[in-house]
Amino acid sequence: MKKQTQIINAGRDSKWTRGVVNPPVERASTVVFDSVKEMKHAIANRGNQTLFYGRRGTSTAFAFQDAMVELEGGEGCALYPSGTAAITNAILAFVKAGDHILMVDTTYEPTRDFCDNVLAKFGVETTYYDPLIGEEIESLIKDNTRLIFLESPGSITMEVQDVPTIAKIAHQHDCIVMLDNTWSAGIYFDPFAHGVDISIQAATKYIVGHSDVMLGTAVATEKYWPQLRENSYLMGQCTSPDDLYLALRGIRTLGVRLKQHQENALKVARWLESRDEVDVVLHPAFESCPGHEFFTRDFTGSNGLFSFVLKDSNTKALNEFLDGMHHFKMGFSWGGFESLILANNNMARLRTATDVRYNTAVIRLHIGLEDPDDLIEDLAQGLERLKASLSQ
Ligand SMILES: *Cc1c(COP(=O)(O)O)cnc(C)c1O
């Protein structure tokens, strides 16, 4: 079945929808049983999408879990109240004191902070590695290395990783391969075909797609699913059926939204590349993006999120560039229908294994579903403000 058709049908099995088009919102803490026999059945099947207790989910959660497995592959999907909770809980499910993990240097900032502040406290050591390390990853694997964590493209600087090569070496050393797959939305990169064991997403981003829900997912292969599922339960992780309903609704338009984000972003990125003020455009589909060859080999499309670096800027000029924007709003997160801009002028703080390649601020754009011509005009006026400020 083609991806776009899967997107329309995912999770809509009639056992969840009971005849209506969308899986309904089923709210519950307590589930009541008519007999001891029924209760025993629920206990025996509690990990298996059977009504047991609210924390294990209701039909809305089961439908969304099915949808994620249909879209990404794998055996089962654990749900979390945010993308960050998905990442931290997936890691915690598989490490113990004395273990070592390898974390990509370009990881999402809170993932780094979790490793440095929480894992360290429990005696789990983290080594950061160059996102472009490829087969050299082998030299960093120790006897106690339990898992290798990837995020591709990397946060803010967009380096695309050679996932299958790293996964192959990881498996030779019995390491679990976890990927933060948020950028691809599970649509433009097939994690399990490239050797990933657990694929994590901030569903907060493109899955939900409307900037109004926090949600995380972790889809695991058959080998790791039971441990991930039970650990998630032990940690008390659960999600609201109202939020899951919105995520299921978001999935239906995921294909058309991504296509439009992609088209708009490529237009804006090409325009930026043509501008004298711009040093480099960090868009995985562009040759100028580190790891572009892996994007070409492994991905089937791009989205609205990329970065660029100015040739020349200073704090005052950059602030004037940002403050005058009409369509680009300043804010964290991305993946909604609206355009966003974020300037990071202290990348060095977020990289410990690699040198920061860029010596001015890295500006990240999320290109929304506005007409890209309006977005280009906004940026053009911004570059005029920047130039005027720099020449003062
Ligand atoms: C936003 C984001 C997260 C965290 O998701 P939240 O739902 O905001 O906690 C994790 N990884 C990546 C790549 C993200 O962009």
Short mmCIF file of all heavy atoms in Angstrom, two decimals, residues 210-272:
data_model
loop_
_atom_site.label_atom_id
_atom_site.label_comp_id
_atom_site.label_asym_id
_atom_site.label_seq_id
_atom_site.Cartn_x
_atom_site.Cartn_y
_atom_site.Cartn_z
N HIS A 210 -0.58 21.00 14.49
CA HIS A 210 -1.32 22.25 14.66
C HIS A 210 -0.91 23.02 15.91
O HIS A 210 -1.63 23.90 16.38
CB HIS A 210 -2.83 21.96 14.68
CG HIS A 210 -3.36 21.44 13.38
ND1 HIS A 210 -3.10 20.16 12.93
CD2 HIS A 210 -4.11 22.03 12.42
CE1 HIS A 210 -3.67 20.00 11.75
NE2 HIS A 210 -4.29 21.10 11.41
N SER A 211 0.26 22.68 16.46
CA SER A 211 0.85 23.43 17.59
C SER A 211 -0.07 23.51 18.80
O SER A 211 -0.07 24.51 19.52
CB SER A 211 1.22 24.86 17.14
OG SER A 211 2.07 24.82 16.03
N ASP A 212 -0.85 22.44 19.03
CA ASP A 212 -1.78 22.52 20.16
C ASP A 212 -1.78 21.28 21.07
O ASP A 212 -2.62 21.18 21.97
CB ASP A 212 -3.20 22.81 19.67
CG ASP A 212 -3.66 21.88 18.56
OD1 ASP A 212 -2.90 20.95 18.21
OD2 ASP A 212 -4.77 22.09 18.03
N VAL A 213 -0.82 20.37 20.88
CA VAL A 213 -0.76 19.17 21.73
C VAL A 213 0.70 18.80 21.95
O VAL A 213 1.51 18.89 21.03
CB VAL A 213 -1.47 17.96 21.05
CG1 VAL A 213 -1.23 16.68 21.84
CG2 VAL A 213 -2.96 18.21 20.91
N MET A 214 1.03 18.37 23.17
CA MET A 214 2.35 17.76 23.45
C MET A 214 2.15 16.24 23.46
O MET A 214 1.25 15.74 24.15
CB MET A 214 2.87 18.17 24.84
CG MET A 214 2.95 19.64 25.12
SD MET A 214 4.13 20.56 24.14
CE MET A 214 5.65 19.70 24.49
N LEU A 215 3.00 15.52 22.72
CA LEU A 215 2.82 14.07 22.63
C LEU A 215 4.10 13.40 22.11
O LEU A 215 4.76 13.96 21.23
CB LEU A 215 1.67 13.76 21.67
CG LEU A 215 1.13 12.33 21.63
CD1 LEU A 215 0.53 11.93 22.96
CD2 LEU A 215 0.08 12.20 20.52
N GLY A 216 4.43 12.24 22.67
CA GLY A 216 5.61 11.51 22.21
C GLY A 216 5.29 10.07 21.90
O GLY A 216 4.38 9.48 22.49
N THR A 217 6.06 9.50 20.96
CA THR A 217 5.86 8.09 20.58
C THR A 217 7.21 7.39 20.51
O THR A 217 8.21 8.00 20.17
CB THR A 217 5.19 7.97 19.19
OG1 THR A 217 6.02 8.61 18.21
CG2 THR A 217 3.82 8.62 19.17
N ALA A 218 7.21 6.11 20.84
CA ALA A 218 8.40 5.29 20.64
C ALA A 218 7.92 3.95 20.08
O ALA A 218 7.21 3.21 20.75
CB ALA A 218 9.17 5.09 21.94
N VAL A 219 8.31 3.67 18.85
CA VAL A 219 7.92 2.44 18.18
C VAL A 219 9.11 1.48 18.22
O VAL A 219 10.23 1.87 17.86
CB VAL A 219 7.50 2.70 16.71
CG1 VAL A 219 7.13 1.39 16.02
CG2 VAL A 219 6.32 3.68 16.65
N ALA A 220 8.87 0.26 18.68
CA ALA A 220 9.97 -0.70 18.86
C ALA A 220 9.75 -1.95 18.02
O ALA A 220 8.61 -2.31 17.69
CB ALA A 220 10.08 -1.10 20.33
N THR A 221 10.86 -2.62 17.71
CA THR A 221 10.79 -3.92 17.05
C THR A 221 10.30 -4.96 18.06
O THR A 221 10.25 -4.72 19.26
CB THR A 221 12.19 -4.35 16.56
OG1 THR A 221 13.07 -4.34 17.68
CG2 THR A 221 12.71 -3.43 15.48
N GLU A 222 9.96 -6.12 17.53
CA GLU A 222 9.43 -7.21 18.36
C GLU A 222 10.37 -7.53 19.54
O GLU A 222 9.92 -7.77 20.66
CB GLU A 222 9.27 -8.45 17.47
CG GLU A 222 8.41 -9.51 18.07
CD GLU A 222 8.19 -10.67 17.10
OE1 GLU A 222 8.70 -10.62 15.95
OE2 GLU A 222 7.53 -11.63 17.51
N LYS A 223 11.68 -7.48 19.27
CA LYS A 223 12.66 -7.84 20.30
C LYS A 223 12.58 -6.89 21.50
O LYS A 223 12.76 -7.32 22.64
CB LYS A 223 14.06 -7.79 19.66
CG LYS A 223 15.18 -8.15 20.60
CD LYS A 223 16.50 -8.27 19.83
CE LYS A 223 17.65 -8.52 20.79
NZ LYS A 223 18.95 -8.43 20.11
N TYR A 224 12.37 -5.62 21.25
CA TYR A 224 12.44 -4.63 22.34
C TYR A 224 11.09 -4.14 22.82
O TYR A 224 11.01 -3.44 23.83
CB TYR A 224 13.32 -3.45 21.90
CG TYR A 224 14.75 -3.87 21.68
CD1 TYR A 224 15.31 -3.88 20.40
CD2 TYR A 224 15.53 -4.29 22.75
CE1 TYR A 224 16.62 -4.30 20.20
CE2 TYR A 224 16.84 -4.71 22.56
CZ TYR A 224 17.38 -4.71 21.28
OH TYR A 224 18.66 -5.13 21.10
N TRP A 225 10.03 -4.46 22.10
CA TRP A 225 8.71 -3.93 22.45
C TRP A 225 8.26 -4.29 23.87
O TRP A 225 7.87 -3.40 24.64
CB TRP A 225 7.68 -4.33 21.39
CG TRP A 225 6.25 -4.08 21.78
CD1 TRP A 225 5.25 -4.98 21.82
CD2 TRP A 225 5.67 -2.82 22.17
NE1 TRP A 225 4.08 -4.39 22.23
CE2 TRP A 225 4.31 -3.07 22.46
CE3 TRP A 225 6.17 -1.53 22.35
CZ2 TRP A 225 3.43 -2.07 22.89
CZ3 TRP A 225 5.30 -0.53 22.78
CH2 TRP A 225 3.95 -0.81 23.04
N PRO A 226 8.33 -5.57 24.31
CA PRO A 226 7.82 -5.87 25.66
C PRO A 226 8.53 -5.07 26.76
O PRO A 226 7.87 -4.54 27.66
CB PRO A 226 8.09 -7.38 25.82
CG PRO A 226 8.15 -7.90 24.41
CD PRO A 226 8.76 -6.79 23.60
N GLN A 227 9.84 -4.94 26.68
CA GLN A 227 10.57 -4.21 27.72
C GLN A 227 10.23 -2.71 27.68
O GLN A 227 10.07 -2.07 28.72
CB GLN A 227 12.08 -4.42 27.55
CG GLN A 227 12.87 -3.84 28.71
CD GLN A 227 14.31 -4.32 28.75
OE1 GLN A 227 14.65 -5.34 28.14
NE2 GLN A 227 15.16 -3.60 29.47
N LEU A 228 10.10 -2.17 26.49
CA LEU A 228 9.75 -0.75 26.36
C LEU A 228 8.35 -0.49 26.92
O LEU A 228 8.12 0.44 27.70
CB LEU A 228 9.80 -0.33 24.89
CG LEU A 228 9.47 1.14 24.63
CD1 LEU A 228 10.60 2.05 25.10
CD2 LEU A 228 9.18 1.39 23.14
N ARG A 229 7.42 -1.36 26.55
CA ARG A 229 6.02 -1.21 26.97
C ARG A 229 5.90 -1.30 28.49
O ARG A 229 5.28 -0.45 29.13
CB ARG A 229 5.20 -2.33 26.31
CG ARG A 229 3.72 -2.31 26.65
CD ARG A 229 3.05 -3.59 26.17
NE ARG A 229 3.51 -4.73 26.95
CZ ARG A 229 3.60 -5.98 26.49
NH1 ARG A 229 3.28 -6.27 25.25
NH2 ARG A 229 4.03 -6.96 27.28
N GLU A 230 6.53 -2.34 29.08
CA GLU A 230 6.38 -2.53 30.52
C GLU A 230 7.10 -1.43 31.31
O GLU A 230 6.63 -0.99 32.34
CB GLU A 230 6.87 -3.92 30.94
CG GLU A 230 5.95 -5.03 30.45
CD GLU A 230 4.47 -4.76 30.73
OE1 GLU A 230 4.09 -4.50 31.88
OE2 GLU A 230 3.67 -4.79 29.76
N ASN A 231 8.23 -0.96 30.78
CA ASN A 231 8.92 0.12 31.48
C ASN A 231 8.11 1.41 31.44
O ASN A 231 8.05 2.16 32.42
CB ASN A 231 10.29 0.35 30.84
CG ASN A 231 11.30 0.73 31.89
OD1 ASN A 231 11.92 -0.14 32.50
ND2 ASN A 231 11.43 2.01 32.16
N SER A 232 7.48 1.65 30.30
CA SER A 232 6.64 2.84 30.17
C SER A 232 5.51 2.79 31.20
O SER A 232 5.20 3.79 31.86
CB SER A 232 6.10 2.88 28.74
OG SER A 232 4.93 3.64 28.69
N TYR A 233 4.94 1.60 31.37
CA TYR A 233 3.87 1.43 32.35
C TYR A 233 4.39 1.63 33.77
O TYR A 233 3.78 2.32 34.59
CB TYR A 233 3.25 0.03 32.18
CG TYR A 233 2.09 -0.21 33.11
CD1 TYR A 233 0.88 0.48 32.93
CD2 TYR A 233 2.20 -1.10 34.17
CE1 TYR A 233 -0.18 0.27 33.79
CE2 TYR A 233 1.13 -1.31 35.04
CZ TYR A 233 -0.05 -0.62 34.85
OH TYR A 233 -1.10 -0.81 35.70
N LEU A 234 5.55 1.05 34.06
CA LEU A 234 6.13 1.18 35.41
C LEU A 234 6.44 2.64 35.74
O LEU A 234 6.36 3.06 36.90
CB LEU A 234 7.42 0.36 35.52
CG LEU A 234 7.24 -1.15 35.51
CD1 LEU A 234 8.60 -1.86 35.50
CD2 LEU A 234 6.42 -1.61 36.72
N MET A 235 6.80 3.40 34.73
CA MET A 235 7.12 4.81 34.94
C MET A 235 5.85 5.68 34.96
O MET A 235 5.93 6.90 35.09
CB MET A 235 8.08 5.32 33.85
CG MET A 235 9.42 4.60 33.84
SD MET A 235 10.40 4.87 35.33
CE MET A 235 11.10 6.47 34.97
N GLY A 236 4.70 5.05 34.82
CA GLY A 236 3.43 5.79 34.92
C GLY A 236 3.14 6.69 33.75
O GLY A 236 2.38 7.66 33.86
N GLN A 237 3.71 6.37 32.61
CA GLN A 237 3.52 7.23 31.44
C GLN A 237 2.14 6.99 30.83
O GLN A 237 1.79 5.85 30.53
CB GLN A 237 4.59 6.92 30.39
CG GLN A 237 6.00 7.16 30.89
CD GLN A 237 6.24 8.62 31.23
OE1 GLN A 237 5.92 9.50 30.44
NE2 GLN A 237 6.79 8.89 32.40
N CYS A 238 1.35 8.03 30.69
CA CYS A 238 0.08 7.87 29.97
C CYS A 238 -0.30 9.19 29.32
O CYS A 238 0.28 10.23 29.61
CB CYS A 238 -1.02 7.34 30.89
SG CYS A 238 -1.31 8.32 32.35
N THR A 239 -1.26 9.11 28.41
CA THR A 239 -1.59 10.25 27.56
C THR A 239 -3.11 10.44 27.53
O THR A 239 -3.87 9.48 27.72
CB THR A 239 -1.08 10.00 26.13
OG1 THR A 239 -1.47 8.69 25.73
CG2 THR A 239 0.44 10.10 26.06
N SER A 240 -3.52 11.66 27.26
CA SER A 240 -4.95 11.98 27.26
C SER A 240 -5.63 11.56 25.96
O SER A 240 -5.09 11.82 24.87
CB SER A 240 -5.11 13.50 27.45
OG SER A 240 -6.19 13.98 26.69
N PRO A 241 -6.79 10.92 26.04
CA PRO A 241 -7.47 10.51 24.80
C PRO A 241 -7.86 11.71 23.94
O PRO A 241 -7.94 11.58 22.71
CB PRO A 241 -8.70 9.75 25.30
CG PRO A 241 -8.87 10.12 26.72
CD PRO A 241 -7.51 10.49 27.24
N ASP A 242 -8.10 12.86 24.53
CA ASP A 242 -8.41 14.05 23.72
C ASP A 242 -7.21 14.43 22.86
O ASP A 242 -7.35 14.76 21.68
CB ASP A 242 -8.80 15.23 24.62
CG ASP A 242 -10.01 14.90 25.47
OD1 ASP A 242 -9.82 14.31 26.55
OD2 ASP A 242 -11.13 15.18 25.03
N ASP A 243 -6.02 14.39 23.47
CA ASP A 243 -4.80 14.70 22.72
C ASP A 243 -4.56 13.66 21.62
O ASP A 243 -4.15 13.99 20.51
CB ASP A 243 -3.59 14.74 23.65
CG ASP A 243 -3.60 15.96 24.56
OD1 ASP A 243 -4.40 16.89 24.30
OD2 ASP A 243 -2.83 15.99 25.54
N LEU A 244 -4.84 12.39 21.96
CA LEU A 244 -4.63 11.33 20.98
C LEU A 244 -5.61 11.46 19.82
O LEU A 244 -5.28 11.19 18.66
CB LEU A 244 -4.76 9.95 21.64
CG LEU A 244 -3.70 9.67 22.71
CD1 LEU A 244 -4.05 8.42 23.49
CD2 LEU A 244 -2.33 9.54 22.07
N TYR A 245 -6.81 11.92 20.14
CA TYR A 245 -7.79 12.16 19.07
C TYR A 245 -7.26 13.21 18.09
O TYR A 245 -7.35 13.05 16.87
CB TYR A 245 -9.13 12.61 19.66
CG TYR A 245 -10.18 12.82 18.61
CD1 TYR A 245 -11.01 11.77 18.22
CD2 TYR A 245 -10.32 14.05 17.96
CE1 TYR A 245 -11.94 11.94 17.22
CE2 TYR A 245 -11.24 14.22 16.95
CZ TYR A 245 -12.06 13.17 16.59
OH TYR A 245 -12.97 13.33 15.59
N LEU A 246 -6.68 14.28 18.65
CA LEU A 246 -6.13 15.33 17.79
C LEU A 246 -4.95 14.81 16.97
O LEU A 246 -4.77 15.19 15.81
CB LEU A 246 -5.72 16.54 18.63
CG LEU A 246 -6.90 17.34 19.22
CD1 LEU A 246 -6.39 18.40 20.19
CD2 LEU A 246 -7.73 17.98 18.11
N ALA A 247 -4.15 13.93 17.58
CA ALA A 247 -3.02 13.35 16.85
C ALA A 247 -3.52 12.47 15.70
O ALA A 247 -2.99 12.51 14.59
CB ALA A 247 -2.14 12.55 17.79
N LEU A 248 -4.56 11.68 15.97
CA LEU A 248 -5.14 10.84 14.91
C LEU A 248 -5.70 11.71 13.79
O LEU A 248 -5.55 11.42 12.61
CB LEU A 248 -6.25 9.95 15.49
CG LEU A 248 -5.76 8.67 16.19
CD1 LEU A 248 -6.82 8.13 17.14
CD2 LEU A 248 -5.37 7.61 15.16
N ARG A 249 -6.35 12.79 14.17
CA ARG A 249 -6.88 13.72 13.17
C ARG A 249 -5.73 14.33 12.37
O ARG A 249 -5.81 14.48 11.15
CB ARG A 249 -7.70 14.81 13.84
CG ARG A 249 -8.11 15.89 12.88
CD ARG A 249 -8.91 16.96 13.56
NE ARG A 249 -10.31 16.57 13.64
CZ ARG A 249 -11.30 17.43 13.54
NH1 ARG A 249 -11.07 18.72 13.39
NH2 ARG A 249 -12.54 17.02 13.61
N GLY A 250 -4.63 14.67 13.09
CA GLY A 250 -3.47 15.25 12.41
C GLY A 250 -2.90 14.31 11.36
O GLY A 250 -2.49 14.75 10.27
N ILE A 251 -2.89 13.03 11.66
CA ILE A 251 -2.31 12.05 10.73
C ILE A 251 -3.00 12.11 9.36
O ILE A 251 -2.36 11.97 8.33
CB ILE A 251 -2.38 10.62 11.32
CG1 ILE A 251 -1.29 10.45 12.38
CG2 ILE A 251 -2.24 9.57 10.23
CD1 ILE A 251 -1.34 9.10 13.09
N ARG A 252 -4.30 12.34 9.35
CA ARG A 252 -5.04 12.26 8.06
C ARG A 252 -4.53 13.25 7.03
O ARG A 252 -4.63 13.00 5.83
CB ARG A 252 -6.55 12.47 8.29
CG ARG A 252 -7.17 11.52 9.29
CD ARG A 252 -6.91 10.06 9.03
NE ARG A 252 -7.16 9.30 10.27
CZ ARG A 252 -6.50 8.19 10.60
NH1 ARG A 252 -5.61 7.67 9.79
NH2 ARG A 252 -6.76 7.59 11.73
N THR A 253 -4.03 14.39 7.49
CA THR A 253 -3.55 15.40 6.53
C THR A 253 -2.02 15.45 6.49
O THR A 253 -1.45 16.34 5.86
CB THR A 253 -4.09 16.79 6.91
OG1 THR A 253 -3.72 17.08 8.27
CG2 THR A 253 -5.60 16.87 6.76
N LEU A 254 -1.38 14.50 7.17
CA LEU A 254 0.09 14.54 7.27
C LEU A 254 0.75 14.53 5.89
O LEU A 254 1.70 15.28 5.64
CB LEU A 254 0.55 13.33 8.10
CG LEU A 254 2.03 13.18 8.44
CD1 LEU A 254 2.55 14.41 9.16
CD2 LEU A 254 2.23 11.94 9.31
N GLY A 255 0.23 13.69 5.00
CA GLY A 255 0.83 13.58 3.66
C GLY A 255 0.75 14.88 2.88
O GLY A 255 1.75 15.38 2.37
N VAL A 256 -0.43 15.47 2.83
CA VAL A 256 -0.58 16.71 2.05
C VAL A 256 0.12 17.88 2.74
O VAL A 256 0.69 18.75 2.07
CB VAL A 256 -2.05 17.08 1.76
CG1 VAL A 256 -2.63 16.16 0.70
CG2 VAL A 256 -2.92 17.05 3.00
N ARG A 257 0.10 17.89 4.07
CA ARG A 257 0.80 18.98 4.77
C ARG A 257 2.29 18.91 4.48
O ARG A 257 2.93 19.90 4.14
CB ARG A 257 0.54 18.90 6.28
CG ARG A 257 -0.81 19.45 6.70
CD ARG A 257 -0.96 19.55 8.21
NE ARG A 257 -1.12 18.26 8.86
CZ ARG A 257 -0.24 17.72 9.70
NH1 ARG A 257 0.88 18.35 10.01
NH2 ARG A 257 -0.48 16.55 10.26
N LEU A 258 2.88 17.72 4.65
CA LEU A 258 4.32 17.59 4.44
C LEU A 258 4.71 17.99 3.01
O LEU A 258 5.72 18.66 2.80
CB LEU A 258 4.77 16.14 4.71
CG LEU A 258 4.90 15.75 6.18
CD1 LEU A 258 5.25 14.26 6.29
CD2 LEU A 258 5.94 16.59 6.90
N LYS A 259 3.90 17.57 2.06
CA LYS A 259 4.19 17.91 0.66
C LYS A 259 4.26 19.42 0.47
O LYS A 259 5.14 19.95 -0.19
CB LYS A 259 3.08 17.34 -0.23
CG LYS A 259 3.56 16.30 -1.22
CD LYS A 259 2.47 16.00 -2.22
CE LYS A 259 2.17 14.52 -2.21
NZ LYS A 259 1.03 14.16 -3.04
N GLN A 260 3.30 20.11 1.09
CA GLN A 260 3.26 21.57 0.93
C GLN A 260 4.38 22.25 1.73
O GLN A 260 4.99 23.20 1.24
CB GLN A 260 1.89 22.11 1.37
CG GLN A 260 1.62 23.52 0.88
CD GLN A 260 1.58 23.62 -0.64
OE1 GLN A 260 0.95 22.78 -1.31
NE2 GLN A 260 2.28 24.58 -1.21
N HIS A 261 4.65 21.74 2.96
CA HIS A 261 5.78 22.28 3.74
C HIS A 261 7.06 22.13 2.91
O HIS A 261 7.89 23.04 2.85
CB HIS A 261 5.95 21.51 5.05
CG HIS A 261 4.97 21.90 6.13
ND1 HIS A 261 4.96 23.13 6.73
CD2 HIS A 261 3.97 21.20 6.73
CE1 HIS A 261 4.01 23.17 7.66
NE2 HIS A 261 3.38 22.02 7.66
N GLN A 262 7.21 20.95 2.29
CA GLN A 262 8.40 20.67 1.50
C GLN A 262 8.54 21.66 0.35
O GLN A 262 9.59 22.27 0.16
CB GLN A 262 8.33 19.23 0.96
CG GLN A 262 9.31 18.92 -0.13
CD GLN A 262 9.41 17.42 -0.41
OE1 GLN A 262 10.44 16.80 -0.15
NE2 GLN A 262 8.36 16.82 -0.91
N GLU A 263 7.48 21.83 -0.40
CA GLU A 263 7.52 22.70 -1.58
C GLU A 263 7.82 24.15 -1.16
O GLU A 263 8.66 24.82 -1.76
CB GLU A 263 6.16 22.61 -2.30
CG GLU A 263 6.10 23.31 -3.62
CD GLU A 263 4.69 23.23 -4.24
OE1 GLU A 263 4.11 22.12 -4.24
OE2 GLU A 263 4.20 24.27 -4.69
N ASN A 264 7.11 24.62 -0.12
CA ASN A 264 7.32 25.99 0.34
C ASN A 264 8.74 26.19 0.84
O ASN A 264 9.38 27.21 0.54
CB ASN A 264 6.33 26.33 1.47
CG ASN A 264 4.89 26.41 0.99
OD1 ASN A 264 4.60 26.17 -0.18
ND2 ASN A 264 3.99 26.73 1.90
N ALA A 265 9.23 25.22 1.62
CA ALA A 265 10.56 25.36 2.22
C ALA A 265 11.64 25.34 1.14
O ALA A 265 12.61 26.10 1.22
CB ALA A 265 10.81 24.24 3.23
N LEU A 266 11.48 24.48 0.12
CA LEU A 266 12.49 24.44 -0.94
C LEU A 266 12.54 25.78 -1.68
O LEU A 266 13.62 26.28 -2.01
CB LEU A 266 12.20 23.29 -1.91
CG LEU A 266 12.52 21.89 -1.37
CD1 LEU A 266 12.00 20.81 -2.32
CD2 LEU A 266 14.04 21.71 -1.16
N LYS A 267 11.37 26.39 -1.87
CA LYS A 267 11.34 27.68 -2.56
C LYS A 267 12.06 28.75 -1.73
O LYS A 267 12.89 29.50 -2.27
CB LYS A 267 9.88 28.09 -2.83
CG LYS A 267 9.77 29.35 -3.66
CD LYS A 267 8.36 29.57 -4.21
CE LYS A 267 8.38 30.77 -5.16
NZ LYS A 267 7.05 31.08 -5.70
N VAL A 268 11.76 28.80 -0.45
CA VAL A 268 12.39 29.79 0.42
C VAL A 268 13.89 29.51 0.54
O VAL A 268 14.72 30.44 0.48
CB VAL A 268 11.72 29.81 1.82
CG1 VAL A 268 12.46 30.75 2.77
CG2 VAL A 268 10.25 30.21 1.71
N ALA A 269 14.26 28.24 0.67
CA ALA A 269 15.68 27.88 0.83
C ALA A 269 16.48 28.24 -0.43
O ALA A 269 17.60 28.75 -0.33
CB ALA A 269 15.81 26.38 1.14
N ARG A 270 15.91 27.98 -1.60
CA ARG A 270 16.60 28.33 -2.85
C ARG A 270 16.80 29.83 -2.94
O ARG A 270 17.84 30.32 -3.37
CB ARG A 270 15.81 27.83 -4.07
CG ARG A 270 16.00 26.37 -4.30
CD ARG A 270 15.44 25.93 -5.67
NE ARG A 270 15.18 24.50 -5.63
CZ ARG A 270 13.96 23.96 -5.53
NH1 ARG A 270 12.88 24.75 -5.52
NH2 ARG A 270 13.81 22.66 -5.46
N TRP A 271 15.77 30.57 -2.53
CA TRP A 271 15.89 32.04 -2.56
C TRP A 271 16.98 32.50 -1.60
O TRP A 271 17.82 33.34 -1.96
CB TRP A 271 14.54 32.67 -2.19
CG TRP A 271 14.61 34.16 -2.14
CD1 TRP A 271 14.50 35.02 -3.19
CD2 TRP A 271 14.85 34.96 -0.98
NE1 TRP A 271 14.66 36.31 -2.76
CE2 TRP A 271 14.88 36.30 -1.41
CE3 TRP A 271 15.05 34.67 0.37
CZ2 TRP A 271 15.09 37.36 -0.51
CZ3 TRP A 271 15.27 35.70 1.26
CH2 TRP A 271 15.28 37.04 0.82
N LEU A 272 17.02 31.93 -0.41
CA LEU A 272 18.06 32.31 0.56
C LEU A 272 19.46 32.01 0.00
O LEU A 272 20.39 32.78 0.17
CB LEU A 272 17.86 31.56 1.89
CG LEU A 272 16.83 32.14 2.85
CD1 LEU A 272 16.54 31.15 3.98
CD2 LEU A 272 17.29 33.49 3.44
#
